[in-house]
Amino acid sequence: MTNPYKVTKALIPVAGLGTRFLPATKAMPKEMLPLIDKPVIQYVVEEAVDTGLTDILMITGRNKSSLENHFDRVAELEQTLKAKGDSERLEQVQESSDLADIYYTRQGDPKGLGHAVLTGKQHIGEHSFAVLLGDDVINAKDILLSKMIEIHEATGDNVIALMEVDPADISLYGCAAVTATDQEDVVIVTDLVEKPAASEAPSNLAVIGRYVLRGEMFQLLENTKPGRGGEIQLTDALEAAVKNPEIAGGVRGIVFRGNRYDTGDKLNFIKATIKLGVDREDIGEDLREFLRNFAKTI
Ligand code: G1P
């Protein structure tokens, strides 16, 4: 019998306005900002594909057509590169269009992350699915999503990714209260609050942008009233699952200890570029040398 919780589809919300990156994001989606030589969104799509999820639904908004173009073919460019015999660049250009089956749906009104996820109900259907937030890049060397899917398929619980943060920063994130399980870094979530004040946060465990959810979560999202910021929050729907696990299962968390880059934030974007850059085969060594010399001057 096939596992009823098997995950084959991924949903990537990319409808955000990118106000933290203005004016760069005035006419260009924030997900198209390049980290070295690939737009941020390609890292996120590659992570889904590497985890075996090749059916990808992007929830888009206004100004996102360049994103669709990036994952489409560009016949003229391919022909020019072919005629020149530049097979290396041809491969790079074709890579993004051959990655996955990507579908797009518009969110319409930007009513929050929970609402963006709910927009995907028709495409996802009743099956379990993964949600990857377009701002969060997880270093490809660190295992996260595949472990989350493994736990979901084994337990039928929704699985969220958590990371320890400085308590002063918890108000930027969803925050989870948890109890331990006998598996290292796997926890049971007992309470979830969206962006609590530091003084009211139940822990310093922040929700980061990877989720594995049961299809029944759509029911909970439909019944979720606007919360923090007047928006329909995914965190609130998950809190409903914590309180009423008979509808859509309970919620487990994985405490992630690898590298996660919040590319929606200027300083973190620069840090991400540097950290990914030093690991690159083509430019890593030169960049390391530059950084060593530069560090002496500041
Ligand atoms: C969203 C979620 C929040 C989560 C964060 C992770 O917030 O609502 O719970 O901690 O993503 O990046 P946003 O950053 O979209 O405001």
Side-chain angles (χ1 to χ4, degrees), residues 20 30 113-114 133 135-136 161 170 172-175 193-195 206-211 231 233-235 260 262:
R20 288 188 290 171
K30 58 180 171 173
L113 178 58
L133 300 193
D135 274 353
D136 281 13
I170 196 71
L172 300 171
Y173 299 95
C175 174
V193 199
E194 178 68 3
K195 303 192 175 128
V207 177
I208 58 168
R210 298 293 179 271
Y211 307 79
E231 297 188 334
Q233 299 291 352
L234 180 56
T235 304
R260 168 236 179 208
D262 174 6

Side-chain angles (χ1 to χ4, degrees), residues 120-139:
K121 181 179 170 192
Q122 184 125 13
H123 179 93
I124 302 287
E126 295 166 354
H127 305 283
S128 296
F129 61 107
V131 176
L132 294 85
L133 300 193
D135 274 353
D136 281 13
V137 170
I138 302 288
N139 193 313

Side-chain angles (χ1 to χ4, degrees), residues 147 151 179-188 252-255:
K147 195 171 167 202
I151 292 172
T179 55
T181 66
D182 53 15
Q183 261 177 293
E184 200 187 343
D185 290 338
V186 179
V187 291
I188 305 277
R252 286 172 200 243
I254 290 197
V255 183

Side-chain angles (χ1 to χ4, degrees), residues 78-134:
E78 290 183 27
Q79 258 150 28
T80 312
L81 292 169
K82 234 181 247 166
K84 279 191 189 165
D86 191 340
S87 54
E88 195 185 325
R89 290 214 172 82
L90 180 64
E91 222 172 87
Q92 285 165 350
V93 163
Q94 287 175 334
E95 201 180 74
S96 57
S97 42
D98 290 345
L99 266 174
D101 295 323
I102 305 184
Y103 304 87
Y104 302 89
T105 252
R106 284 234 190 179
Q107 189 180 358
D109 292 334
K111 289 195 261 182
L113 178 58
H115 178 252
V117 173
L118 189 51
T119 311
K121 181 179 170 192
Q122 184 125 13
H123 179 93
I124 302 287
E126 295 166 354
H127 305 283
S128 296
F129 61 107
V131 176
L132 294 85
L133 300 193

